[in-house]
Amino acid sequence: MSVISEKIQEILAYAKSRLEESNEAGDVNDMRVRLLGKSGELTSLLRGLKDIPPEERPGVGKLVNEARDSIASMIELRLALLKRLELERKIRDERIDVTLSGKGIKRGSYHPCTLVREEILRVFISLGFSVEQGPEIESDYYNFRRMNMPKDHPARDMQDTFYITPDVLLRTHTSPVQARVMDKSKPPIRVVCPGKVYRPDDDATHSPMFQQVEGLVVDKNITLCDLKGTLECAAKELFDSKTKIRFRPSYFPFTEPSVEVDVTCPVCHGKGCRICKGTGWIEVLGAGVVNPAVLRDSGIDPDIYSGFAFGMGVERIAMIKYGIPDMRILFENDARFLSGFKEEI
Ligand code: DAH
């Protein structure tokens, strides 16, 4: 009896010290198998009961069972302790400091050309114009022929062209949208047509793709004065209220007479500076009275109706408005440059 109880004390002492050293739940579970499992030390003690005198068996059995219970509860206690320590470690390591300032979400901003295009459209919409669009892949017929530039017309040289086939091209201007609008609607017409256009040019003031906004008004008694009044009003809105405009004679096959339109330099207000090369004026668009031939081709009688048209480059106006010296920066997608334009549309 005393031999067995000594053995049990030994096992208990061993279990206690090993469990105290175990810092992983896995080790504790190994101990459970080792001490209490089928081939564990206590189990083999129980098996040995048959070898001791029958009158001692109940006493020994009781001792062994008590030892089992006490080892089992030591194991549970140790596991609970390890679990609590693990939780405390996690709380310590994964603590979130809610008082730290947040990371902040970077907000995009509109591209300066988008801002300018939408501003141009807003101004003309407020003057009663509606917005129309046409295809970027255009026929020679609409891009040139309907704009009064038959094949071999020298004015075609003014607009270098990306041809897809001899009859299909990337439109070189938004003017063909004029013809498309006139084909499907009757006067009075008052439209602005924004869109991308393409020409094989690439330098500080030209890009192979750029945007234009075309304007067309057709009604009875439309004159060059209406063009001037409309553009002056738009320029005052787009730049500032002191802006003046002037017309210089020019040539476009689709307008007669044709003009080049200048605005007073928005930087020096006409005094002369680097931006306007000392002249006080900056050229912003081409315009004119719609050539009767263009009206006639669209089935509009030029003896009854007349019109004016204009076409402006969006990038060019953005460069003037924001003082951007090189057009290429508009296409480089440099966030440091683009993030400077935070205006809302
Ligand atoms: N389409 C011309 C160009 O891209 C610009 C232009 C000039 C448009 C006169 C017009 C206009 O509507 O009347 O160079």
Side-chain angles (χ1 to χ4, degrees):
M1 172 81 174
S2 61
V3 180
I4 291 183
S5 84
E6 254 170 44
K7 179 81 185 146
I8 289 172
Q9 288 314 315
E10 235 174 65
I11 293 174
L12 278 173
Y14 170 77
K16 190 163 178 281
S17 77
R18 284 298 309 271
L19 281 172
E20 274 167 8
E21 286 164 9
S22 305
N23 290 319
E24 302 282 341
D27 294 346
V28 177
N29 284 321
D30 287 349
M31 288 287 289
R32 187 202 305 275
V33 175
R34 177 134 173 234
L35 295 165
L36 309 177
K38 266 193 201 132
S39 41
E41 293 177 41
L42 279 178
T43 317
S44 57
L45 274 183
L46 277 177
R47 278 204 198 101
L49 274 184
K50 62 179 180 337
D51 303 328
I52 60 172
E55 62 280 12
E56 286 185 15
R57 281 182 204 161
V60 174
K62 192 167 168 257
L63 276 182
V64 176
N65 281 330
E66 278 170 5
R68 271 188 83 87
D69 290 349
S70 107
I71 290 175
S73 70
M74 281 198 288
I75 287 174
E76 290 319 314
L77 277 175
R78 188 71 196 170
L79 283 174
L81 175 72
L82 291 179
K83 210 168 162 186
R84 208 185 67 232
L85 289 175
E86 172 67 6
L87 185 66
E88 277 170 10
R89 187 194 60 74
K90 273 197 168 169
I91 290 172
R92 203 174 47 245
D93 293 355
E94 297 172 15
R95 200 172 120 248
I96 294 169
D97 184 351
V98 290
T99 64
L100 279 179
S101 51
K103 276 205 180 129
I105 297 164
K106 280 197 181 155
R107 261 188 87 201
S109 54
Y110 285 105
H111 192 280
C113 292
T114 306
L115 290 171
V116 167
R117 185 190 66 221
E118 293 305 308
E119 174 73 355
I120 295 168
L121 295 181
R122 189 187 62 74
V123 169
F124 284 98
I125 289 168
S126 75
L127 292 173
F129 285 68
S130 51
V131 179
E132 291 280 348
Q133 279 178 292
E136 288 171 29
I137 297 174
E138 187 53 286
S139 57
D140 182 277
Y141 173 72
Y142 274 110
N143 195 80
F144 288 127
R145 173 61 208 90
R146 288 290 297 278
M147 290 293 107
N148 205 25
M149 284 179 270
K151 285 238 165 9
D152 302 322
H153 191 291
R156 287 189 177 212
D157 296 346
M158 287 160 67
Q159 299 185 359
D160 265 351
T161 310
F162 286 114
Y163 279 95
I164 297 169
T165 71
D167 293 319
V168 180
L169 44 82
L170 296 183
R171 69 179 175 192
T172 55
H173 52 174
T174 42
S175 300
V177 189
Q178 289 186 28
R180 288 180 174 274
V181 169
M182 286 191 277
D183 281 359
K184 63 169 191 179
S185 40
K186 289 193 175 67
I189 292 169
R190 227 186 279 145
V191 288
V192 271
C193 320
K196 297 192 185 101
V197 301
Y198 302 85
R199 293 182 201 176
D201 290 331
D202 198 4
D203 59 40
T205 51
H206 298 89
S207 150
M209 186 284 299
F210 60 105
Q211 297 184 68
Q212 287 187 334
V213 175
E214 191 78 15
L216 174 70
V217 170
V218 183
D219 204 349
K220 288 178 180 151
N221 303 317
I222 297 293
T223 70
L224 198 68
C225 291
D226 296 306
L227 173 67
K228 193 160 189 193
T230 306
L231 291 181
E232 181 152 351
C233 173
K236 284 184 192 309
E237 283 287 319
L238 275 176
F239 298 104
D240 66 70
S241 57
K242 291 198 211 85
T243 307
K244 292 194 186 68
I245 66 166
R246 74 176 182 189
F247 281 2
R248 279 180 293 110
S250 185
Y251 172 76
F252 299 103
F254 31 94
T255 42
E256 182 55 40
S258 302
V259 293
E260 216 91 57
V261 183
D262 296 344
V263 295
T264 42
C265 175
V267 177
C268 65
H269 302 288
K271 286 192 201 77
C273 69
R274 192 178 50 84
I275 302 289
C276 59
K277 299 198 183 82
T279 64
W281 294 94
I282 291 192
E283 183 191 320
V284 283
L285 56 93
V289 170
V290 179
N291 192 315
V294 173
L295 293 178
R296 205 176 296 115
D297 282 350
S298 303
I300 295 172
D301 185 346
D303 292 330
I304 303 174
Y305 293 104
S306 56
F308 69 72
F310 57 86
M312 60 184 101
V314 174
E315 284 75 7
R316 185 167 166 74
I317 296 195
M319 288 169 75
I320 296 168
K321 216 172 137 92
Y322 298 119
I324 299 165
D326 191 321
M327 188 185 276
R328 286 167 290 204
I329 196 164
L330 291 171
F331 300 104
E332 277 170 4
N333 293 333
D334 185 332
R336 288 167 302 181
F337 166 73
L338 295 174
S339 62
F341 300 88
K342 288 284 184 212
E343 295 155 60
E344 302 288 328
I345 286 182

Short mmCIF file of all heavy atoms in Angstrom, two decimals, residues 259-321:
data_model
loop_
_atom_site.label_atom_id
_atom_site.label_comp_id
_atom_site.label_asym_id
_atom_site.label_seq_id
_atom_site.Cartn_x
_atom_site.Cartn_y
_atom_site.Cartn_z
N VAL A 259 -13.71 84.25 -89.11
CA VAL A 259 -12.91 85.08 -88.19
C VAL A 259 -12.11 84.21 -87.24
O VAL A 259 -12.46 83.07 -86.97
CB VAL A 259 -13.81 86.03 -87.35
CG1 VAL A 259 -14.47 87.08 -88.23
CG2 VAL A 259 -14.84 85.26 -86.54
N GLU A 260 -11.04 84.83 -86.75
CA GLU A 260 -10.26 84.26 -85.66
C GLU A 260 -10.63 85.13 -84.46
O GLU A 260 -10.67 86.36 -84.59
CB GLU A 260 -8.78 84.41 -85.97
CG GLU A 260 -7.93 83.27 -85.53
CD GLU A 260 -7.76 82.19 -86.62
OE1 GLU A 260 -7.30 82.52 -87.72
OE2 GLU A 260 -8.10 81.04 -86.31
N VAL A 261 -10.93 84.51 -83.32
CA VAL A 261 -11.40 85.31 -82.18
C VAL A 261 -10.33 85.36 -81.09
O VAL A 261 -9.82 84.33 -80.68
CB VAL A 261 -12.72 84.72 -81.61
CG1 VAL A 261 -13.24 85.60 -80.48
CG2 VAL A 261 -13.76 84.59 -82.71
N ASP A 262 -10.02 86.59 -80.67
CA ASP A 262 -9.06 86.79 -79.57
C ASP A 262 -9.81 87.29 -78.34
O ASP A 262 -10.83 87.97 -78.46
CB ASP A 262 -8.04 87.89 -79.94
CG ASP A 262 -7.18 87.53 -81.14
OD1 ASP A 262 -7.14 86.33 -81.51
OD2 ASP A 262 -6.57 88.44 -81.72
N VAL A 263 -9.28 86.95 -77.16
CA VAL A 263 -9.80 87.55 -75.92
C VAL A 263 -8.68 88.36 -75.28
O VAL A 263 -7.50 88.06 -75.50
CB VAL A 263 -10.30 86.49 -74.90
CG1 VAL A 263 -11.50 85.74 -75.43
CG2 VAL A 263 -9.19 85.54 -74.50
N THR A 264 -9.05 89.37 -74.49
CA THR A 264 -8.01 90.11 -73.76
C THR A 264 -7.34 89.12 -72.81
O THR A 264 -8.00 88.28 -72.20
CB THR A 264 -8.60 91.29 -72.95
OG1 THR A 264 -9.82 90.85 -72.34
CG2 THR A 264 -8.88 92.48 -73.84
N CYS A 265 -6.02 89.22 -72.71
CA CYS A 265 -5.24 88.25 -71.93
C CYS A 265 -5.76 88.20 -70.49
O CYS A 265 -5.79 89.22 -69.80
CB CYS A 265 -3.77 88.67 -71.97
SG CYS A 265 -2.74 87.65 -70.92
N PRO A 266 -6.21 87.02 -70.03
CA PRO A 266 -6.76 86.95 -68.67
C PRO A 266 -5.70 87.15 -67.58
O PRO A 266 -6.04 87.39 -66.43
CB PRO A 266 -7.36 85.54 -68.60
CG PRO A 266 -6.77 84.78 -69.72
CD PRO A 266 -6.25 85.75 -70.74
N VAL A 267 -4.42 87.09 -67.97
CA VAL A 267 -3.36 87.28 -66.97
C VAL A 267 -3.08 88.77 -66.76
O VAL A 267 -3.08 89.27 -65.64
CB VAL A 267 -2.08 86.52 -67.38
CG1 VAL A 267 -0.95 86.77 -66.39
CG2 VAL A 267 -2.37 85.03 -67.51
N CYS A 268 -2.86 89.53 -67.87
CA CYS A 268 -2.49 90.95 -67.72
C CYS A 268 -3.65 91.89 -68.07
O CYS A 268 -3.49 93.11 -68.02
CB CYS A 268 -1.28 91.26 -68.59
SG CYS A 268 -1.65 91.09 -70.35
N HIS A 269 -4.78 91.33 -68.44
CA HIS A 269 -5.96 92.12 -68.82
C HIS A 269 -5.66 93.12 -69.93
O HIS A 269 -6.14 94.26 -69.90
CB HIS A 269 -6.57 92.83 -67.61
CG HIS A 269 -6.96 91.86 -66.53
ND1 HIS A 269 -8.05 91.02 -66.65
CD2 HIS A 269 -6.38 91.56 -65.35
CE1 HIS A 269 -8.11 90.25 -65.58
NE2 HIS A 269 -7.10 90.55 -64.78
N GLY A 270 -4.86 92.74 -70.88
CA GLY A 270 -4.65 93.58 -72.06
C GLY A 270 -3.39 94.45 -72.01
O GLY A 270 -3.05 95.09 -73.00
N LYS A 271 -2.69 94.42 -70.86
CA LYS A 271 -1.50 95.30 -70.76
C LYS A 271 -0.32 94.75 -71.56
O LYS A 271 0.54 95.49 -72.01
CB LYS A 271 -1.09 95.45 -69.30
CG LYS A 271 -2.03 96.34 -68.51
CD LYS A 271 -1.40 96.69 -67.15
CE LYS A 271 -2.47 97.12 -66.17
NZ LYS A 271 -3.24 95.98 -65.61
N GLY A 272 -0.28 93.45 -71.71
CA GLY A 272 0.86 92.82 -72.38
C GLY A 272 1.74 92.10 -71.38
O GLY A 272 2.22 92.72 -70.44
N CYS A 273 1.91 90.80 -71.57
CA CYS A 273 2.75 90.02 -70.64
C CYS A 273 3.35 88.85 -71.40
O CYS A 273 3.19 88.72 -72.61
CB CYS A 273 1.92 89.54 -69.44
SG CYS A 273 0.70 88.29 -69.88
N ARG A 274 4.03 87.96 -70.64
CA ARG A 274 4.71 86.82 -71.27
C ARG A 274 3.71 85.88 -71.94
O ARG A 274 3.93 85.37 -73.02
CB ARG A 274 5.49 86.08 -70.17
CG ARG A 274 6.47 85.05 -70.64
CD ARG A 274 7.19 84.46 -69.44
NE ARG A 274 6.24 84.03 -68.40
CZ ARG A 274 5.63 82.85 -68.40
NH1 ARG A 274 5.86 81.97 -69.34
NH2 ARG A 274 4.77 82.54 -67.43
N ILE A 275 2.57 85.70 -71.25
CA ILE A 275 1.57 84.75 -71.75
C ILE A 275 1.02 85.19 -73.11
O ILE A 275 0.88 84.39 -74.04
CB ILE A 275 0.40 84.60 -70.72
CG1 ILE A 275 0.92 84.12 -69.36
CG2 ILE A 275 -0.70 83.68 -71.25
CD1 ILE A 275 1.39 82.68 -69.30
N CYS A 276 0.73 86.50 -73.25
CA CYS A 276 0.15 86.99 -74.52
C CYS A 276 1.23 87.53 -75.45
O CYS A 276 0.93 88.22 -76.42
CB CYS A 276 -0.93 88.03 -74.24
SG CYS A 276 -0.31 89.46 -73.32
N LYS A 277 2.47 87.25 -75.12
CA LYS A 277 3.64 87.70 -75.90
C LYS A 277 3.59 89.21 -76.12
O LYS A 277 3.87 89.73 -77.20
CB LYS A 277 3.70 86.97 -77.24
CG LYS A 277 3.84 85.46 -77.09
CD LYS A 277 4.34 84.80 -78.38
CE LYS A 277 4.40 83.31 -78.26
NZ LYS A 277 3.12 82.62 -78.47
N GLY A 278 3.19 89.91 -75.08
CA GLY A 278 3.22 91.37 -75.10
C GLY A 278 2.09 92.03 -75.87
O GLY A 278 2.02 93.26 -75.94
N THR A 279 1.19 91.25 -76.47
CA THR A 279 0.16 91.87 -77.33
C THR A 279 -1.11 92.25 -76.56
O THR A 279 -1.91 93.04 -77.03
CB THR A 279 -0.27 90.90 -78.45
OG1 THR A 279 -0.90 89.76 -77.83
CG2 THR A 279 0.89 90.43 -79.30
N GLY A 280 -1.31 91.65 -75.40
CA GLY A 280 -2.55 91.91 -74.65
C GLY A 280 -3.71 91.05 -75.10
O GLY A 280 -4.78 91.07 -74.49
N TRP A 281 -3.54 90.31 -76.19
CA TRP A 281 -4.63 89.47 -76.73
C TRP A 281 -4.19 88.03 -76.88
O TRP A 281 -3.02 87.76 -77.15
CB TRP A 281 -5.04 89.98 -78.12
CG TRP A 281 -5.67 91.35 -78.10
CD1 TRP A 281 -5.02 92.54 -78.29
CD2 TRP A 281 -7.04 91.66 -77.87
NE1 TRP A 281 -5.91 93.58 -78.20
CE2 TRP A 281 -7.17 93.07 -77.94
CE3 TRP A 281 -8.19 90.91 -77.61
CZ2 TRP A 281 -8.38 93.73 -77.77
CZ3 TRP A 281 -9.40 91.57 -77.44
CH2 TRP A 281 -9.50 92.96 -77.51
N ILE A 282 -5.14 87.11 -76.75
CA ILE A 282 -4.85 85.69 -76.96
C ILE A 282 -5.92 85.09 -77.86
O ILE A 282 -7.12 85.30 -77.64
CB ILE A 282 -4.82 84.93 -75.61
CG1 ILE A 282 -3.60 85.37 -74.80
CG2 ILE A 282 -4.79 83.43 -75.82
CD1 ILE A 282 -3.29 84.52 -73.61
N GLU A 283 -5.45 84.35 -78.87
CA GLU A 283 -6.41 83.73 -79.80
C GLU A 283 -7.07 82.52 -79.12
O GLU A 283 -6.39 81.67 -78.55
CB GLU A 283 -5.64 83.27 -81.04
CG GLU A 283 -6.53 82.69 -82.10
CD GLU A 283 -5.70 82.00 -83.20
OE1 GLU A 283 -4.65 82.55 -83.57
OE2 GLU A 283 -6.12 80.93 -83.63
N VAL A 284 -8.39 82.46 -79.17
CA VAL A 284 -9.05 81.32 -78.52
C VAL A 284 -9.87 80.43 -79.44
O VAL A 284 -10.09 79.26 -79.13
CB VAL A 284 -9.98 81.74 -77.34
CG1 VAL A 284 -9.17 82.08 -76.11
CG2 VAL A 284 -10.91 82.85 -77.72
N LEU A 285 -10.35 80.95 -80.56
CA LEU A 285 -11.17 80.06 -81.40
C LEU A 285 -11.34 80.59 -82.81
O LEU A 285 -10.98 81.73 -83.11
CB LEU A 285 -12.54 79.84 -80.75
CG LEU A 285 -13.43 81.03 -80.40
CD1 LEU A 285 -14.40 81.35 -81.53
CD2 LEU A 285 -14.23 80.70 -79.15
N GLY A 286 -11.89 79.70 -83.66
CA GLY A 286 -12.24 80.07 -85.03
C GLY A 286 -13.75 80.10 -85.15
O GLY A 286 -14.46 79.36 -84.47
N ALA A 287 -14.26 80.98 -85.99
CA ALA A 287 -15.71 81.10 -86.09
C ALA A 287 -16.09 81.77 -87.42
O ALA A 287 -15.22 82.10 -88.24
CB ALA A 287 -16.24 81.93 -84.92
N GLY A 288 -17.37 81.97 -87.60
CA GLY A 288 -17.82 82.67 -88.80
C GLY A 288 -19.30 82.49 -89.05
O GLY A 288 -20.00 81.86 -88.26
N VAL A 289 -19.72 83.08 -90.16
CA VAL A 289 -21.12 82.92 -90.59
C VAL A 289 -21.16 81.67 -91.47
O VAL A 289 -20.32 81.52 -92.37
CB VAL A 289 -21.58 84.18 -91.37
CG1 VAL A 289 -22.94 83.93 -92.02
CG2 VAL A 289 -21.64 85.38 -90.43
N VAL A 290 -22.10 80.79 -91.19
CA VAL A 290 -22.12 79.50 -91.88
C VAL A 290 -22.21 79.72 -93.40
O VAL A 290 -23.05 80.49 -93.89
CB VAL A 290 -23.31 78.62 -91.41
CG1 VAL A 290 -23.32 77.28 -92.15
CG2 VAL A 290 -23.23 78.38 -89.91
N ASN A 291 -21.31 79.09 -94.13
CA ASN A 291 -21.27 79.21 -95.59
C ASN A 291 -22.60 78.69 -96.16
O ASN A 291 -23.04 77.59 -95.82
CB ASN A 291 -20.10 78.36 -96.10
CG ASN A 291 -19.80 78.65 -97.56
OD1 ASN A 291 -20.71 78.73 -98.37
ND2 ASN A 291 -18.52 78.80 -97.87
N PRO A 292 -23.27 79.47 -97.03
CA PRO A 292 -24.55 79.02 -97.60
C PRO A 292 -24.46 77.63 -98.23
O PRO A 292 -25.43 76.86 -98.18
CB PRO A 292 -24.86 80.08 -98.66
CG PRO A 292 -24.09 81.29 -98.23
CD PRO A 292 -22.88 80.79 -97.49
N ALA A 293 -23.28 77.29 -98.76
CA ALA A 293 -23.13 75.96 -99.39
C ALA A 293 -23.33 74.85 -98.36
O ALA A 293 -23.88 73.79 -98.67
CB ALA A 293 -21.75 75.85 -100.04
N VAL A 294 -22.87 75.09 -97.12
CA VAL A 294 -23.01 74.08 -96.06
C VAL A 294 -24.48 73.92 -95.68
O VAL A 294 -24.97 72.80 -95.50
CB VAL A 294 -22.15 74.47 -94.83
CG1 VAL A 294 -22.40 73.53 -93.65
CG2 VAL A 294 -20.66 74.47 -95.19
N LEU A 295 -25.19 75.06 -95.60
CA LEU A 295 -26.63 74.98 -95.30
C LEU A 295 -27.35 74.23 -96.41
O LEU A 295 -28.16 73.32 -96.16
CB LEU A 295 -27.23 76.38 -95.16
CG LEU A 295 -26.75 77.24 -93.97
CD1 LEU A 295 -27.41 78.62 -94.03
CD2 LEU A 295 -27.09 76.57 -92.65
N ARG A 296 -27.04 74.58 -97.64
CA ARG A 296 -27.73 73.97 -98.80
C ARG A 296 -27.51 72.45 -98.81
O ARG A 296 -28.46 71.70 -99.03
CB ARG A 296 -27.22 74.61 -100.10
CG ARG A 296 -28.21 74.53 -101.24
CD ARG A 296 -27.72 75.26 -102.49
NE ARG A 296 -27.58 76.70 -102.31
CZ ARG A 296 -26.41 77.36 -102.38
NH1 ARG A 296 -25.28 76.73 -102.62
NH2 ARG A 296 -26.38 78.67 -102.21
N ASP A 297 -26.28 72.01 -98.56
CA ASP A 297 -25.99 70.57 -98.54
C ASP A 297 -26.81 69.83 -97.49
O ASP A 297 -27.01 68.62 -97.58
CB ASP A 297 -24.50 70.32 -98.25
CG ASP A 297 -23.65 70.55 -99.48
OD1 ASP A 297 -24.23 70.71 -100.58
OD2 ASP A 297 -22.41 70.59 -99.35
N SER A 298 -27.25 70.56 -96.45
CA SER A 298 -28.06 69.92 -95.40
C SER A 298 -29.54 70.10 -95.66
O SER A 298 -30.36 69.79 -94.78
CB SER A 298 -27.74 70.54 -94.04
OG SER A 298 -26.39 70.42 -93.77
N GLY A 299 -29.88 70.64 -96.81
CA GLY A 299 -31.30 70.82 -97.13
C GLY A 299 -31.91 72.02 -96.45
O GLY A 299 -33.14 72.10 -96.30
N ILE A 300 -31.08 72.96 -96.03
CA ILE A 300 -31.61 74.19 -95.40
C ILE A 300 -31.46 75.33 -96.41
O ILE A 300 -30.37 75.54 -96.96
CB ILE A 300 -30.85 74.50 -94.09
CG1 ILE A 300 -31.13 73.39 -93.05
CG2 ILE A 300 -31.25 75.85 -93.52
CD1 ILE A 300 -30.30 73.48 -91.79
N ASP A 301 -32.54 76.05 -96.67
CA ASP A 301 -32.52 77.08 -97.70
C ASP A 301 -31.78 78.32 -97.19
O ASP A 301 -32.26 79.01 -96.28
CB ASP A 301 -33.97 77.44 -98.07
CG ASP A 301 -34.03 78.42 -99.23
OD1 ASP A 301 -32.98 79.02 -99.57
OD2 ASP A 301 -35.14 78.60 -99.78
N PRO A 302 -30.62 78.64 -97.81
CA PRO A 302 -29.84 79.78 -97.32
C PRO A 302 -30.49 81.14 -97.61
O PRO A 302 -30.05 82.16 -97.07
CB PRO A 302 -28.50 79.65 -98.05
CG PRO A 302 -28.71 78.69 -99.16
CD PRO A 302 -29.98 77.93 -98.93
N ASP A 303 -31.53 81.14 -98.46
CA ASP A 303 -32.22 82.42 -98.69
C ASP A 303 -33.17 82.73 -97.53
O ASP A 303 -33.60 83.86 -97.37
CB ASP A 303 -33.00 82.38 -100.02
CG ASP A 303 -32.02 82.33 -101.19
OD1 ASP A 303 -30.90 82.87 -101.04
OD2 ASP A 303 -32.36 81.72 -102.23
N ILE A 304 -33.52 81.69 -96.77
CA ILE A 304 -34.43 81.91 -95.63
C ILE A 304 -33.65 81.93 -94.31
O ILE A 304 -33.92 82.71 -93.43
CB ILE A 304 -35.51 80.79 -95.59
CG1 ILE A 304 -36.27 80.76 -96.92
CG2 ILE A 304 -36.47 81.00 -94.41
CD1 ILE A 304 -37.25 79.60 -97.05
N TYR A 305 -32.68 81.02 -94.23
CA TYR A 305 -31.96 80.85 -92.96
C TYR A 305 -30.50 81.25 -93.08
O TYR A 305 -29.90 81.16 -94.16
CB TYR A 305 -32.03 79.39 -92.51
CG TYR A 305 -33.43 78.95 -92.14
CD1 TYR A 305 -34.17 78.15 -93.01
CD2 TYR A 305 -33.99 79.36 -90.94
CE1 TYR A 305 -35.46 77.75 -92.66
CE2 TYR A 305 -35.27 78.97 -90.59
CZ TYR A 305 -36.00 78.16 -91.45
OH TYR A 305 -37.26 77.79 -91.11
N SER A 306 -29.96 81.66 -91.99
CA SER A 306 -28.52 81.88 -91.91
C SER A 306 -28.05 81.39 -90.55
O SER A 306 -28.87 81.07 -89.68
CB SER A 306 -28.20 83.36 -92.10
OG SER A 306 -28.90 84.13 -91.14
N GLY A 307 -26.74 81.35 -90.38
CA GLY A 307 -26.26 80.82 -89.10
C GLY A 307 -24.85 81.28 -88.78
O GLY A 307 -24.18 81.88 -89.61
N PHE A 308 -24.47 81.03 -87.55
CA PHE A 308 -23.04 81.21 -87.21
C PHE A 308 -22.53 79.93 -86.56
O PHE A 308 -23.31 79.11 -86.06
CB PHE A 308 -22.80 82.45 -86.34
CG PHE A 308 -23.32 82.38 -84.91
CD1 PHE A 308 -22.72 81.57 -83.95
CD2 PHE A 308 -24.40 83.18 -84.53
CE1 PHE A 308 -23.18 81.54 -82.63
CE2 PHE A 308 -24.87 83.14 -83.21
CZ PHE A 308 -24.27 82.33 -82.27
N ALA A 309 -21.21 79.78 -86.64
CA ALA A 309 -20.59 78.58 -86.05
C ALA A 309 -19.27 78.98 -85.42
O ALA A 309 -18.69 80.02 -85.77
CB ALA A 309 -20.37 77.53 -87.13
N PHE A 310 -18.85 78.17 -84.48
CA PHE A 310 -17.53 78.41 -83.90
C PHE A 310 -16.96 77.08 -83.41
O PHE A 310 -17.69 76.11 -83.21
CB PHE A 310 -17.59 79.41 -82.72
CG PHE A 310 -18.53 79.00 -81.62
CD1 PHE A 310 -18.11 78.17 -80.59
CD2 PHE A 310 -19.85 79.46 -81.62
CE1 PHE A 310 -18.98 77.80 -79.58
CE2 PHE A 310 -20.73 79.08 -80.60
CZ PHE A 310 -20.31 78.25 -79.58
N GLY A 311 -15.64 77.04 -83.28
CA GLY A 311 -15.00 75.83 -82.77
C GLY A 311 -13.82 76.22 -81.90
O GLY A 311 -13.00 77.04 -82.31
N MET A 312 -13.80 75.67 -80.68
CA MET A 312 -12.68 76.03 -79.78
C MET A 312 -11.98 74.79 -79.22
O MET A 312 -12.61 73.74 -79.08
CB MET A 312 -13.17 76.92 -78.65
CG MET A 312 -14.24 76.31 -77.78
SD MET A 312 -14.81 77.52 -76.57
CE MET A 312 -16.33 78.06 -77.28
N GLY A 313 -10.70 74.95 -78.94
CA GLY A 313 -9.92 73.84 -78.38
C GLY A 313 -9.97 73.90 -76.86
O GLY A 313 -9.63 74.92 -76.26
N VAL A 314 -10.40 72.79 -76.25
CA VAL A 314 -10.56 72.77 -74.78
C VAL A 314 -9.20 72.88 -74.08
O VAL A 314 -9.04 73.65 -73.13
CB VAL A 314 -11.31 71.47 -74.36
CG1 VAL A 314 -11.36 71.36 -72.84
CG2 VAL A 314 -12.70 71.45 -74.96
N GLU A 315 -8.20 72.14 -74.59
CA GLU A 315 -6.87 72.17 -73.95
C GLU A 315 -6.30 73.58 -74.02
O GLU A 315 -5.70 74.06 -73.05
CB GLU A 315 -5.90 71.20 -74.66
CG GLU A 315 -6.13 69.74 -74.33
CD GLU A 315 -7.34 69.14 -75.01
OE1 GLU A 315 -7.97 69.83 -75.85
OE2 GLU A 315 -7.70 67.99 -74.70
N ARG A 316 -6.48 74.21 -75.16
CA ARG A 316 -5.95 75.56 -75.34
C ARG A 316 -6.57 76.51 -74.31
O ARG A 316 -5.86 77.30 -73.68
CB ARG A 316 -6.25 76.02 -76.77
CG ARG A 316 -5.64 77.34 -77.06
CD ARG A 316 -5.62 77.72 -78.53
NE ARG A 316 -5.31 79.14 -78.61
CZ ARG A 316 -4.12 79.66 -78.40
NH1 ARG A 316 -3.10 78.86 -78.13
NH2 ARG A 316 -3.92 80.96 -78.45
N ILE A 317 -7.86 76.39 -74.13
CA ILE A 317 -8.53 77.29 -73.17
C ILE A 317 -8.09 76.95 -71.74
O ILE A 317 -7.85 77.85 -70.93
CB ILE A 317 -10.07 77.22 -73.35
CG1 ILE A 317 -10.35 77.76 -74.74
CG2 ILE A 317 -10.78 78.00 -72.24
CD1 ILE A 317 -11.73 78.13 -75.07
N ALA A 318 -7.90 75.64 -71.46
CA ALA A 318 -7.41 75.25 -70.12
C ALA A 318 -6.02 75.86 -69.89
O ALA A 318 -5.71 76.35 -68.80
CB ALA A 318 -7.37 73.73 -70.00
N MET A 319 -5.16 75.82 -70.93
CA MET A 319 -3.81 76.36 -70.79
C MET A 319 -3.85 77.86 -70.50
O MET A 319 -3.10 78.37 -69.66
CB MET A 319 -3.00 76.10 -72.07
CG MET A 319 -2.62 74.63 -72.24
SD MET A 319 -1.98 74.29 -73.87
CE MET A 319 -0.35 75.00 -73.76
N ILE A 320 -4.75 78.56 -71.19
CA ILE A 320 -4.86 80.00 -70.99
C ILE A 320 -5.41 80.29 -69.58
O ILE A 320 -4.87 81.09 -68.83
CB ILE A 320 -5.80 80.62 -72.05
CG1 ILE A 320 -5.21 80.45 -73.45
CG2 ILE A 320 -6.07 82.09 -71.75
CD1 ILE A 320 -6.16 80.75 -74.59
N LYS A 321 -6.47 79.58 -69.25
CA LYS A 321 -7.15 79.82 -67.97
C LYS A 321 -6.26 79.54 -66.77
O LYS A 321 -6.26 80.27 -65.79
CB LYS A 321 -8.38 78.90 -67.92
CG LYS A 321 -9.57 79.53 -67.22
CD LYS A 321 -10.78 78.63 -67.40
CE LYS A 321 -11.53 78.52 -66.12
NZ LYS A 321 -12.59 79.45 -65.89
#
